[in-house]
Amino acid sequence: MSNKRDSEAPHSRIRRRDTAAVASIGCMVLVLFWLFNELGSLETLVAIATIAALSTFYYLTISTTLNPTPEALPVRDVDDAEGITKARAQIMLENLPIPVLLIGGGGRIEIANPAARAFLGLGAATGHLSAVLRQPQVLEAVSAALRGKTVEPVEYSLMAPVESHVRAFVAPLASEEDPSLPWRAMLVLSDETSIKRADRMRADFLANASHELRTPLASLAGFIETLRGHAKDDPEARERFLGIMFDQTERMQRLINDLLSLSRVEMDEHVRPSGRADMEAIIEDVVDVLRPQIAEKSIELSLDVMPAEVVGDRDQLLEVVMNLVENAIKYSRAGSSVVITLSSDLSRDQAERPGLILGDEASRLTLAAPVSEAGDRYAAVRIRDGGKGIERRNLPRLSERFYRVDGQKSGPREGTGLGLAIVKHIVNRHRGGFTVESRPDAGSVFSVFFPMPKMQSKVQAKPVA
């Protein structure tokens, strides 16, 4: 009984008390009227009964309307609270950007959030962890956690399709649902590629910069010492030395810019871009910027382009085309020609291995190749120069850092040897391809191709020479 009173709402008790008070006052007033002979005994009894009936009716009506019985109220018990907590935890897990998996008996994946499915390439159905993650150290750590053991984080690396570094955190979770399986394992995968790349970039930058800057700095120091000595009163020597010093300073500036650009590209190489870029507009922008260099060498430029949209970062794609066209102008003979073509809606084979443009005696090599799927379509940019060509033995090293072919290491605008390395890393990030075809005394053709949006790959393919 006490429990029933305790569970009753406070405002219900207040209404009951107020109703009883009003009825009592009414009855007392009627009794006073009877004592002073204002009402007869029968009339007084009838009035008291009427007040009592009306008070009871009022109380029951108000209580039923404003304060439903406990049976009509929704009651949240312990099970409902646990259900709400689980639902909220599920929402948090699905929106967590870090891959998280719950591994059950036999290494079977019981739960995998969307980030884990995307990271491991899981489909709608879950299977065994060993089928999607072939890393023995991680599998051993999961097996130990399923036996209730605490394990240390495990690091592993993947080199294809792009380099990546992952740290796996494994923790045992006690389970009371199945006595035969008292433990499950929680697996959290942390992509630490950016951290590893940053550490390596810093070391490489210092090593490469110190090596490549040593020569121009030594030249500058030597010329300054000469100008301070016997050449300080020789106007002709002073002008010649100042010109050389200016060229060396420009080379150092180009070198530093290329090193910084390469570091930025490598930092994000494992992150595939998702934007859209108009390759036709990019080529037109590059040609407009380089027209003074084209005119300076009296080069005949030929454009054969068509509309083509690709998946990529416009600024980086612009840098790719800029590097390739600038190299074509730099290494072409004066008065020769440079041909730029843009083809759309090509298959992987059409983009990577078209017919040899420079003839059957030409050599072709793929410097970067994508991991493609059936139905993927590509847009290809090909730049043919009017240079003296590159021997076959030099082709594999073209995309190495600081590598320059013999005969291309001197001149007023000596290259830094980083341009093609930058091109290769940008192409890898875009999951595209990079090829070179060359024949001595006939020039070279550098080609890059990038994936097109799947819904946009409807343009009729253009014949490729």
Side-chain angles (χ1 to χ4, degrees):
M1 194 70 179
S2 60
N3 292 337
K4 185 176 181 180
R5 278 197 297 268
D6 292 341
S7 62
E8 194 174 17
H11 52 269
S12 299
R13 293 195 297 268
I14 293 173
R15 281 199 300 271
R16 185 174 61 187
R17 188 172 61 247
D18 292 345
T19 304
V22 171
S24 301
I25 293 173
C27 293
M28 290 178 62
V29 172
L30 292 174
V31 171
L32 290 175
F33 281 142
W34 174 71
L35 291 176
F36 288 99
N37 296 321
E38 296 292 333
L39 290 175
S41 299
L42 181 59
E43 291 86 349
T44 302
L45 291 175
V46 172
I48 291 174
T50 302
I51 291 175
L54 290 174
S55 299
T56 303
F57 177 76
Y58 170 78
Y59 173 74
L60 292 176
T61 302
I62 298 300
S63 298
T64 304
T65 304
L66 300 181
N67 187 35
T69 59
E71 290 75 14
L73 291 174
V75 179
R76 290 184 177 178
D77 55 15
V78 176
D79 293 337
D80 291 338
E82 291 181 354
I84 294 173
T85 302
K86 290 181 179 179
R88 290 173 178 171
Q90 183 66 26
I91 294 174
M92 293 174 62
L93 182 65
E94 291 178 355
N95 289 277
L96 195 66
I98 302 174
V100 179
L101 302 97
L102 181 65
I103 312 300
R108 178 174 292 277
I109 301 174
E110 294 185 352
I111 299 175
N113 68 341
R117 293 181 178 277
F119 190 82
L120 297 175
L122 290 173
T126 56
H128 286 85
L129 181 64
S130 58
V132 294
L133 186 62
R134 295 179 177 86
Q135 297 296 327
Q137 291 180 324
V138 177
L139 298 177
E140 290 176 4
V142 170
S143 178
L146 290 174
R147 299 192 300 270
K149 296 182 179 180
T150 303
V151 294
E152 295 293 329
V154 177
E155 294 185 4
Y156 67 91
S157 300
L158 299 173
M159 305 309 295
V162 294
E163 180 184 356
S164 59
H165 303 272
V166 182
R167 174 172 289 195
F169 299 89
V170 184
L173 298 179
S175 175
E176 299 178 356
E177 300 175 1
D178 186 358
S180 62
L181 183 62
W183 296 97
R184 284 177 169 81
M186 181 181 69
L187 174 61
V188 180
L189 301 175
S190 175
D191 187 355
E192 299 190 349
T193 306
S194 298
I195 299 174
K196 296 290 185 181
R197 286 182 182 274
D199 293 339
R200 191 173 62 199
M201 292 305 127
R202 283 192 290 268
D204 289 348
F205 181 84
L206 291 174
N208 294 330
S210 62
H211 174 74
E212 290 295 321
L213 292 175
R214 185 179 296 114
T215 300
L217 285 175
S219 299
L220 288 174
F223 288 129
I224 291 173
E225 184 178 355
T226 303
L227 288 173
R228 294 178 63 184
H230 62 274
K232 66 179 179 179
D233 296 327
D234 187 346
E236 184 178 351
R238 184 168 63 246
E239 288 300 321
R240 186 174 71 256
F241 290 159
L242 288 174
I244 298 175
M245 292 169 66
F246 180 78
D247 290 340
Q248 293 294 333
T249 304
E250 272 197 330
R251 179 172 181 269
M252 284 193 295
Q253 185 176 4
R254 293 197 305 271
L255 177 62
I256 292 173
N257 290 337
D258 285 350
L259 282 171
L260 292 175
S261 178
L262 182 60
S263 296
R264 286 192 297 267
V265 172
E266 287 186 320
M267 185 70 67
D268 297 328
E269 186 175 350
H270 65 292
V271 181
R272 186 172 185 172
S274 58
R276 301 288 187 269
D278 184 348
M279 290 303 299
E280 183 182 19
I282 288 175
I283 292 175
E284 292 174 353
D285 291 345
V286 169
V287 171
D288 289 340
V289 172
L290 297 178
R291 282 199 185 277
Q293 297 182 30
I294 296 172
E296 183 181 353
K297 297 187 68 172
S298 301
I299 289 177
E300 180 183 354
L301 179 66
S302 176
L303 291 177
D304 183 11
V305 299
M306 64 186 302
E309 186 182 47
V310 300
V311 180
D313 183 321
R314 188 184 189 280
D315 291 339
Q316 290 191 345
L317 294 176
L318 181 69
E319 188 172 7
V320 166
V321 178
M322 180 72 73
N323 276 330
L324 294 179
V325 176
E326 193 172 22
N327 280 349
I329 297 170
K330 183 189 304 182
Y331 299 120
S332 292
R333 301 181 181 95
S336 61
S337 63
V338 171
V339 181
I340 304 175
T341 63
L342 171 61
S343 304
S344 175
D345 200 33
L346 305 176
S347 67
R348 163 76 179 271
D349 287 341
Q350 289 175 323
E352 184 178 358
R353 290 181 289 273
L356 290 172
I357 299 174
L358 300 177
D360 295 337
E361 297 180 1
S363 301
R364 181 169 60 204
L365 182 68
T366 298
L367 301 175
V371 177
S372 58
E373 299 177 357
D376 287 349
R377 309 299 287 179
Y378 298 89
V381 181
R382 309 191 193 281
I383 297 101
R384 176 177 179 177
D385 62 39
K388 62 180 183 179
I390 305 171
E391 295 183 6
R392 181 182 181 86
R393 61 185 176 87
N394 292 323
L395 296 183
R397 302 192 60 190
L398 287 178
S399 59
E400 292 182 11
R401 296 184 185 188
F402 304 110
Y403 179 77
R404 293 186 291 275
V405 180
D406 293 338
Q408 298 180 353
K409 297 182 180 181
S410 60
R413 288 188 59 83
E414 179 184 353
T416 62
L418 293 174
L420 295 183
I422 293 173
V423 169
K424 180 179 179 180
H425 285 290
I426 293 178
V427 168
N428 282 336
R429 186 194 174 209
H430 285 72
R431 309 305 189 259
F434 181 24
T435 66
V436 57
E437 176 188 339
S438 189
R439 192 180 79 178
D441 299 324
S444 303
V445 179
F446 287 88
S447 303
V448 289
F449 55 94
F450 302 98
M452 301 178 66
K454 294 186 182 298
M455 65 196 65
Q456 298 291 335
S457 302
K458 302 298 182 184
V459 183
Q460 180 65 33
K462 185 175 181 178
V464 181

